[in-house]
Amino acid sequence: MAAVSLSISTVKPLGDRIFIKVAQAEEKTAGGILLPDTAKEKPQVGEVVQVGPGKRNEDGSRQPMEVKIGERVLYSRYAGTDIKLGSEEYVLLSEKDVLAIVE
């Protein structure tokens, strides 16, 4: 199998999909206890780095995306496909899996 080199600029989501850079997991608890890597929960917040053109309606027109590049979003815990590019973690998911925009 050939190795494929990907970067953020080469990934273009299709349809109503969104490419999100995952926020870093908390290193310690509110009480100050340091957490090992195995105890950290997967974050559900990330920054949108790429968006698709939008979902097609029945008449063939495109429905515009509600999220934009640069916005921070809250998404479903088990949604999407995890992708690692270099040392950064990303998630590719459908727009319907985005729960809220975080301001």
Side-chain angles (χ1 to χ4, degrees):
M1 181 180 281
V4 177
S5 177
L6 296 175
S7 69
I8 296 171
S9 61
T10 61
V11 176
K12 178 72 175 155
L14 300 175
D16 67 339
R17 292 193 174 69
I18 303 168
F19 198 56
I20 296 175
K21 181 178 178 184
V22 178
Q24 294 295 325
E26 290 294 321
E27 296 287 329
K28 59 183 175 179
T29 65
I33 299 172
L34 293 176
L35 296 171
D37 288 338
T38 56
K40 293 178 188 173
E41 288 189 23
K42 179 182 169 186
Q44 292 175 258
V45 176
E47 180 183 345
V48 177
V49 292
Q50 291 283 355
V51 295
K55 182 179 178 180
R56 285 217 183 260
N57 295 323
E58 290 181 17
D59 64 357
S61 64
R62 293 248 185 220
Q63 179 177 341
M65 300 289 278
E66 290 187 49
V67 296
K68 297 173 184 60
I69 294 174
E71 290 183 324
R72 289 177 45 89
V73 294
L74 175 69
Y75 56 91
S76 298
R77 181 175 303 267
Y78 300 108
T81 302
D82 296 333
I83 300 171
K84 190 166 188 173
L85 299 178
S87 63
E88 301 290 334
E89 293 184 22
Y90 298 88
V91 176
L92 182 63
L93 50 86
S94 180
E95 185 180 35
K96 68 181 180 186
D97 294 323
V98 173
L99 304 173
I101 296 173
V102 180
E103 295 183 3

